[in-house]
């Protein structure tokens, strides 16, 4: 028994998970916000899974096979989250609002207004660079391999997401350079579109959401915590109305949720309810996952999704998208349950999940290019082009391979992808940090800040 206890103790130390927390353990767990990195890593993996689902198992996207028809296991709530990309993107926005507001909210609550304002200024500057630079590098990489026909196999495959997101090579290098510049520019314009890396559509809205956070905190940094919370609640409700005018109606409601969660994190409520959280936090998390499972189409086919659809018509704001309302609410409930639960925080702070969080942005940027190139080559290299009929039209494509091929290929693909993303995070990301720091030193002034206009001497 003593040997078993020692072995169990060693294991829990290694995985950083101990369900039996004392009072000090509760405090330490509630002070640790690394869970956000773990959850971000999970979200990035599931965004990739959603693209794999749309490529090879589109039936999972449907709630069942026909109205009132058979519902397979992977179509049921929670299991179907592998195909719910919109729900996991909502988590990105919430976590963005949470992480970007953690330090300024903490400083504001401590009465350190000037450091809080300085932090907002520096963070908003760095945020732009840390989004734009990696995205531009990933676009250049995808553009470059496109010109050498790297996506040709994906274009000719019967994998829906692959052939619909694979661009053609440009007719000449002069045209190719123009296409590259256009892709980089349109990534950051209204109705963003990047033909070389489709998932980058969300980056403009992530940057937009970060600016919402910085602007809202700048306007409320001098308020007491209570009035700042009331203001954020007002902005949350208001964002349901005006969000649609900015291209994505869910950006504001999610980033303001993140700010509210940062306020909750720095309050005494999580500690006050720490012991009882084991009873209400897990059911809340499951409820959030259930709502995140709401299908993006044919919601009236299954009974459970039809019930949610009818409630959407009753309670949802006028501008709320049907496909994203419940997944957004579910993501907000899930993150709220985690903030209130020291156990869930510790679970999401496991070292492997923190590693996923470290590579989450490279994974988001690179998985599409790897799917359209390496994965397509591995899956379809031995397939023969055949005639395939789709929606009444006939196409010559590589058919999807059998299950044995997937069982062999997918582990190879995942090892290759995660190795590349780890290399990107360790070897390439630091250069973006250096560029950002250099630009910050130049534009902020290392020692004495100059004036754009002459200063009057009188």
């Amino acid at each position: 028994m003593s040997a078993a206890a020692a072995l169990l103790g060693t294991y829990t130390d290694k995985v950083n998970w101990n369900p039996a927390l004392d009072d000090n353990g509760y405090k330490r767990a509630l002070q640790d916000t690394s869970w956000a990195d773990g959850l971000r890593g999970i979200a990035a993996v599931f965004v990739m899974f959603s693209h794999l689902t749309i490529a090879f198992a589109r039936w999972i996207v449907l709630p069942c096979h026909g109205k009132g028809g058979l519902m397979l296991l992977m179509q049921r709530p929670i299991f179907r989250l592998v195909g719910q990309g919109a729900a996991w993107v909502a988590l990105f926005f919430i976590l963005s609002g949470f992480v970007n507001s953690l330090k300024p909210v903490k400083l504001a609550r401590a009465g350190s207004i000037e450091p809080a304002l300085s932090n907002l200024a520096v963070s908003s500057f760095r945020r732009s660079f840390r989004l734009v630079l990696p995205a531009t590098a990933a676009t250049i990489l995808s553009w470059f391999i496109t010109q050498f026909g790297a996506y040709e196999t994906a274009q000719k495959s019967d994998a829906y997401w692959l052939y619909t997101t694979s661009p053609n090579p440009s007719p000449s290098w002069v045209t190719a350079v123009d296409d590259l510049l256009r892709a980089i520019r349109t990534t950051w314009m209204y109705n963003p579109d990047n033909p070389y890396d489709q998932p980058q559509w969300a980056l403009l809205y992530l940057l937009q959401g970060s600016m919402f956070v910085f602007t809202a905190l700048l306007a409320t940094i001098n308020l007491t915590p209570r009035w700042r919370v009331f203001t954020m609640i007002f902005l949350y409700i208001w964002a349901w109305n005006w969000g649609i005018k900015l291209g994505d109606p869910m950006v504001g409601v999610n980033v303001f949720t993140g700010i509210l969660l940062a306020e909750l994190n720095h309050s005494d409520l999580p500690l006050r309810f720490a012991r009882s959280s084991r009873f209400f936090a897990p059911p809340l998390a499951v409820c959030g996952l259930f709502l995140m499972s709401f299908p993006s189409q044919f919601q009236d086919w299954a009974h459970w999704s039809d019930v949610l659809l009818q409630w959407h018509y009753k309670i949802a704001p006028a501008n709320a998208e049907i496909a994203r309302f419940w997944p957004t609410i579910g993501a907000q409930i899930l993150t709220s349950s985690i903030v209130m639960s020291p156990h869930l925080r510790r679970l999401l702070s496991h070292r492997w999940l923190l590693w996923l969080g470290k590579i989450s942005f490279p994974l988001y940027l690179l998985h599409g290019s790897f799917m359209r190139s390496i994965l397509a080559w591995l899956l379809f290299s031995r397939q023969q082009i055949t005639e395939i009929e789709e929606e009444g039209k006939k196409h010559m494509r590589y058919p999807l391979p059998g299950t044995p091929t997937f069982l062999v290929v997918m582990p190879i693909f995942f090892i290759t992808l995660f190795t590349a993303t780890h290399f990107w995070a360790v070897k390439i990301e630091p250069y973006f940090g250096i560029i950002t720091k250099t630009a910050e030193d130049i534009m902020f002034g290392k020692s004495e800040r100059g004036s754009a206009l002459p200063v009057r001497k009188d």
Side-chain angles (χ1 to χ4, degrees):
M1 289 293 291
S2 60
L7 182 62
L8 179 60
T10 302
Y11 173 77
T12 54
D13 288 341
K14 286 185 176 181
V15 301
N16 192 31
W17 166 247
N18 182 5
L21 293 173
D22 56 16
D23 289 340
N24 290 330
Y26 284 132
K27 291 180 180 179
R28 288 194 302 270
L30 293 173
Q31 290 170 353
D32 184 10
T33 57
S34 63
W35 63 267
D37 293 325
L39 185 59
R40 186 189 298 112
I42 293 174
V45 169
F46 271 84
V47 167
M48 176 188 65
F49 283 163
S50 72
H51 293 152
L52 289 169
T53 298
I54 299 173
F56 306 113
R58 292 171 65 192
W59 56 270
I60 295 178
V61 177
L62 306 175
C64 57
H65 289 275
K67 190 168 186 177
L70 177 66
M71 184 187 304
L72 300 180
L73 177 64
M74 296 305 296
Q75 293 175 314
R76 294 183 179 277
I78 299 181
F79 290 98
R80 60 178 292 105
L81 285 170
V82 293
Q84 293 292 107
W88 299 105
V89 171
L91 279 177
F92 283 142
F93 289 106
I94 297 171
L95 293 174
S96 176
F98 176 76
V99 172
N100 285 322
S101 57
L102 266 178
K103 189 171 183 178
V105 165
K106 181 179 181 180
L107 291 170
R109 282 175 169 259
S112 304
I113 303 303
E114 287 193 12
L117 291 173
S118 177
N119 177 264
L120 286 172
V122 173
S123 297
S124 61
F125 178 86
R126 291 174 180 171
R127 182 64 170 169
S128 302
F129 277 77
R130 298 312 292 269
L131 280 177
V132 173
L133 292 177
T136 302
T139 299
I140 294 173
L141 174 64
S142 181
W143 163 83
F144 184 75
I145 64 176
T146 296
Q147 307 312 316
F148 292 94
Y151 298 150
E152 184 177 352
T153 301
Q155 286 179 324
K156 296 179 180 179
S157 72
D158 194 38
Y160 178 80
W161 194 83
L162 298 188
Y163 71 73
T164 57
T165 63
S166 297
N168 291 310
S170 304
S172 68
W173 280 102
V174 174
T175 306
V177 172
D178 182 64
D179 291 339
L180 171 63
L181 296 176
R182 184 183 300 110
I184 294 173
R185 184 177 69 253
T186 55
T187 300
W188 306 100
M189 299 181 71
Y190 185 76
N191 288 331
D193 175 49
N194 187 328
Y196 299 107
D197 194 14
Q198 184 271 342
Q200 289 197 30
W201 71 267
L203 298 187
L204 170 66
Y205 301 117
L206 280 171
L207 180 59
Q208 185 185 79
S210 298
M211 296 305 120
F212 285 173
V213 172
F214 300 136
T215 304
L217 289 177
L218 178 65
T220 61
I221 203 73
N222 277 304
L223 301 183
T224 63
R226 175 177 298 180
W227 284 107
R228 190 165 50 249
V229 167
F230 285 157
T231 303
M232 294 305 161
I233 292 174
F234 170 76
L235 290 175
Y236 172 87
I237 297 172
W238 194 21
W240 285 106
N241 175 261
W242 52 257
I244 195 171
K245 301 297 183 182
L246 301 176
D248 191 322
M250 301 302 176
V251 173
V253 296
N254 283 322
V255 297
F256 293 138
T257 296
I259 299 176
L260 288 169
L261 291 178
E263 292 282 1
L264 178 62
N265 179 79
H266 289 305
S267 71
D268 63 347
L269 284 177
L271 184 60
R272 194 184 307 174
F273 290 96
R275 291 189 177 278
S276 58
S277 65
R278 70 182 67 184
F279 301 108
F280 67 80
L284 274 179
V286 172
C287 176
L289 294 172
F290 178 85
L291 295 179
M292 289 169 64
S293 305
F294 186 72
S296 58
Q297 54 186 327
F298 303 111
Q299 297 91 352
D300 60 337
W301 280 12
H303 176 70
W304 71 273
S305 56
D306 187 43
V307 171
L308 290 178
L309 178 63
Q310 301 309 315
W311 274 102
H312 172 274
Y313 292 137
K314 294 178 181 178
I315 67 173
N319 292 331
E321 291 184 24
I322 292 177
R324 298 172 62 193
F325 174 73
W326 287 119
T328 295
I329 298 299
Q332 294 170 0
I333 293 175
L334 174 64
T335 47
S336 300
S337 69
I338 296 169
V339 171
M340 292 296 295
S341 171
H343 294 92
L344 292 179
R345 288 185 183 220
R346 285 177 66 91
L347 180 64
L348 290 169
S349 299
H350 187 281
R351 58 180 179 175
W352 285 107
L353 294 181
L354 296 183
W355 174 73
L356 282 179
K358 180 180 179 180
I359 66 168
S360 59
F361 195 37
L363 179 61
Y364 186 86
L365 292 175
L366 297 180
H367 78 272
S369 297
F370 274 65
M371 284 176 59
R372 294 189 296 266
S373 55
I374 296 174
L375 181 58
W377 301 338
L378 292 173
L379 286 175
F380 300 105
S381 59
R382 295 192 176 187
Q383 299 293 102
Q384 297 295 322
I385 289 183
T386 58
E387 187 176 79
I388 296 176
E389 184 172 344
E390 181 182 4
E391 297 179 354
K393 297 181 180 180
K394 294 181 179 180
H395 306 273
M396 299 300 295
R397 290 183 180 148
Y398 295 113
L400 297 181
T403 301
T405 301
F406 276 97
L407 293 177
V408 173
V409 165
M410 295 312 295
I412 299 173
F413 169 70
F414 286 135
I415 291 172
T416 305
L417 174 62
F418 283 107
T419 301
T421 53
H422 180 75
F423 176 84
W424 181 289
V426 173
K427 299 296 185 179
I428 299 178
E429 279 283 349
Y431 288 103
F432 301 138
I434 293 173
I435 296 172
T436 303
K437 183 65 169 61
T438 302
E440 181 183 332
D441 290 340
I442 293 173
M443 300 175 73
F444 279 41
K446 288 185 177 180
S447 56
E448 182 178 355
R449 298 188 180 183
S451 175
L453 297 173
V455 179
R456 290 179 58 176
K457 301 296 185 179
D458 57 343

